[in-house]
């Protein structure tokens, strides 16, 4: 009920617009009429009445203004606190990229002429035939990308009472001995296989008192190697023997498999 009365008073106060000019005019007319009609001492009594009426009107206006101001005053803030707005973070300004600088040209390198050392001694050319001996070296055609065999064919035109045959297989990666053989009797030779000077070396030495007959004989070394087609250009062989005329030797390379 109180809320309804308060609401109506607030609406009436907002709608009320006092006409000050009209009210003051009525007061003045009243004062003028009193002055014309009464010439008697009762005038003294009329002025206080007019003054009191004016004071009453003024008080009413003042009271009405206070009442309106009280009714329409701003309502108190709610209990909930207003959350302050969170200031947005200030992003650092990106530095302006500087123009790329052209690198300075490098200073020229002074050229000096180094003293030329002695040239390495070239490998001796193959000598596949000498005296009663003739030879031929080749990679066996049955070799694979994992395994190979190097063959030496040796021919002699006279019996030999001493003979040393050596095959050198360069260590090109993963080279490992898997065996060897010869066409001459195995009990006539001392056979060794060892790593020496970056190569796998097969050696057959004829035992004292044994003889190699005339004819063609085969010596072979077998080995594994790194996967792929192996380069045999650094492989080689050498054969030495003694004859009545002195020491005789032949040597050479192994040609690719055919």
């Amino acid at each position: 009920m109180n809320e309804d009365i308060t609401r109506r008073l607030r609406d009436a106060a907002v709608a009320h617009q006092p006409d000050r000019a009209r009210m003051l005019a009525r007061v003045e007319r009243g004062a003028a009429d009193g002055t014309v009609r009464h010439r008697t001492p009762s005038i003294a009594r009329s002025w206080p009445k007019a003054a009191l009426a004016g004071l009453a009107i003024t008080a009413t206006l003042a009271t009405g203004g206070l009442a309106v101001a009280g009714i329409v005053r701003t309502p108190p803030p709610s209990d909930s606190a207003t959350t302050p707005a969170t200031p947005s973070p200030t992003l650092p300004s990106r530095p302006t990229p500087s123009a790329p600088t052209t690198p300075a040209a490098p200073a020229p390198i002074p050229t000096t002429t180094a003293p030329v050392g002695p040239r390495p001694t070239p490998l001796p050319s193959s000598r596949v035939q000498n005296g009663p001996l003739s030879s031929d070296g080749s990679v066996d055609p049955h070799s694979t990308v994992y395994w190979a065999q190097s063959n030496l064919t040796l021919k002699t035109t006279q019996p030999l009472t001493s003979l040393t045959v050596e095959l050198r297989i360069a260590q090109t990666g993963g080279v490992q001995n898997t065996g060897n053989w010869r066409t001459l009797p195995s009990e006539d030779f001392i056979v060794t296989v060892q790593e020496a000077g970056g190569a796998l070396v097969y050696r057959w030495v004829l035992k004292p008192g044994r003889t190699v007959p005339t004819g063609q004989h085969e010596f072979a070394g077998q080995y594994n190697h790194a996967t792929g087609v192996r380069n045999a250009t650094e492989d080689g062989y050498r054969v030495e023997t003694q004859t009545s005329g002195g020491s005789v030797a032949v040597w050479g390379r192994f040609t690719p498999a055919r």
Side-chain angles (χ1 to χ4, degrees):
M1 184 66 178
N2 293 334
E3 292 181 359
D4 184 62
I5 294 174
T6 301
R7 181 181 57 79
R8 291 184 180 182
L9 289 175
R10 184 183 297 110
D11 294 342
V14 173
H16 177 69
Q17 295 182 358
D19 192 347
R20 280 189 171 189
R22 184 177 179 182
M23 295 175 68
L24 290 175
R26 290 179 63 184
V27 171
E28 289 176 358
R29 284 198 304 271
D33 292 341
T35 301
V36 174
R37 291 175 181 178
H38 302 284
R39 302 288 182 177
T40 62
S42 62
I43 297 174
R45 291 192 301 269
S46 299
W47 276 110
K49 291 180 180 181
L52 289 175
L55 291 175
I57 294 171
T58 303
T60 301
L61 291 174
T63 304
L66 292 175
V68 171
I71 293 173
V72 298
R73 64 182 176 181
T74 305
S78 61
D79 295 338
S80 59
T82 303
T83 304
T86 303
S88 59
T90 303
L91 297 178
S93 59
R94 295 185 179 179
T96 304
S98 57
T101 56
T102 303
I109 300 174
T111 58
T112 57
T113 303
V116 179
R119 293 183 178 180
T121 303
L123 294 174
S125 58
S126 298
R127 186 168 70 178
V128 297
Q129 186 172 358
N130 184 21
L133 301 178
S134 60
S135 60
D136 178 63
S138 64
V139 178
D140 194 277
H142 297 97
S143 300
T144 69
V145 294
Y146 308 104
W147 174 91
Q149 176 176 296
S150 296
N151 300 326
L152 170 63
T153 301
L154 178 66
K155 296 179 181 179
T156 177
T157 59
Q158 65 183 48
L160 304 175
T161 55
S162 69
L163 180 66
T164 299
V165 177
E166 186 177 277
L167 275 59
R168 298 180 65 87
I169 308 302
Q171 183 55 264
T172 55
V175 174
Q176 295 180 342
N177 172 49
T178 59
N180 64 88
W181 57 268
R182 82 239 56 79
T183 55
L184 292 168
S186 58
E187 62 271 14
D188 289 350
F189 290 88
I190 299 173
V191 183
T192 59
V193 182
Q194 61 182 356
E195 290 268 359
L200 183 63
V201 180
Y202 298 84
R203 181 179 289 119
W204 295 264
V205 178
L206 184 66
K207 293 179 180 179
R210 307 299 174 91
T211 302
V212 175
T214 59
Q216 177 174 305
H217 311 287
E218 301 287 338
F219 296 84
Q222 300 171 331
Y223 49 89
N224 289 331
H225 59 78
T227 303
V229 178
R230 183 177 174 275
N231 187 353
T233 56
E234 298 300 320
D235 300 347
Y237 67 87
R238 183 180 178 87
V239 180
E240 293 181 351
T241 186
Q242 291 289 335
T243 65
S244 57
S247 177
V248 175
V250 292
W251 60 86
R253 302 287 185 180
F254 291 93
T255 59
R258 294 187 293 272

